Amino acid sequence: MIHLCADTDIEDNSARGLQGEGYNLIAVRKKGQLYLYNNRCPHRGIPLEWMPDQFLDHGKHYLQCATHGALFKIDDGHCIAGPCANDKLTAVDFEHRDGQIYLVG
Ligand code: FES
């Protein structure tokens, strides 16, 4: 398993990028629940952000792709608007252990 970060590194209603050898992920927390997705927009197969850790829309309700504005639900990665509507971000399995987050697989 790969260590990603401390659980406390991802504050509620925030998102950040986690990059390392072989992975580029979005970690996002909403209502205390943590979600992890591959940082790859299904429209063009590129990362969502232009600025580091800028993944959320203005209202912090959705993940937003900076290139063409696609909006993704935080809790399941489903695209609700934009050029890849009805596609989705790929969820990534992770594990909590002793206050740390690990990538599974
Ligand atoms: S590359 Fe993400 S919406 Fe086009």
Side-chain angles (χ1 to χ4, degrees):
M1 275 192 298
I2 297 171
H3 176 253
L4 294 174
C5 63
D7 192 43
T8 53
D9 287 344
I10 319 295
E11 294 176 7
D12 206 21
N13 288 317
S14 74
R16 61 174 278 195
L18 300 172
Q19 290 90 22
E21 202 173 308
Y23 65 89
N24 183 358
L25 306 173
I26 304 164
V28 56
R29 190 184 301 276
K30 185 174 183 179
K31 294 181 180 171
Q33 182 73 40
L34 182 66
Y35 304 91
L36 237 63
Y37 297 102
N38 273 327
N39 184 8
R40 183 180 184 281
C41 180
H43 179 219
R44 290 275 170 86
I46 58 175
L48 271 69
E49 85 282 31
W50 282 348
M51 301 284 288
D53 301 324
Q54 295 297 306
F55 293 103
L56 295 174
D57 70 336
H58 285 304
K60 297 187 174 184
H61 298 300
Y62 299 99
L63 293 162
Q64 184 169 35
C65 180
T67 302
H68 305 109
L71 294 173
F72 303 89
K73 286 171 64 183
I74 290 173
D75 59 356
D76 64 6
H78 192 88
C79 182
I80 55 125
C84 47
N86 295 320
D87 211 331
K88 63 192 302 188
L89 299 173
T90 303
V92 173
D93 286 337
F94 62 96
E95 196 171 301
H96 285 102
R97 190 181 295 179
D98 299 327
Q100 304 295 314
I101 307 294
Y102 294 89
L103 188 59
V104 174

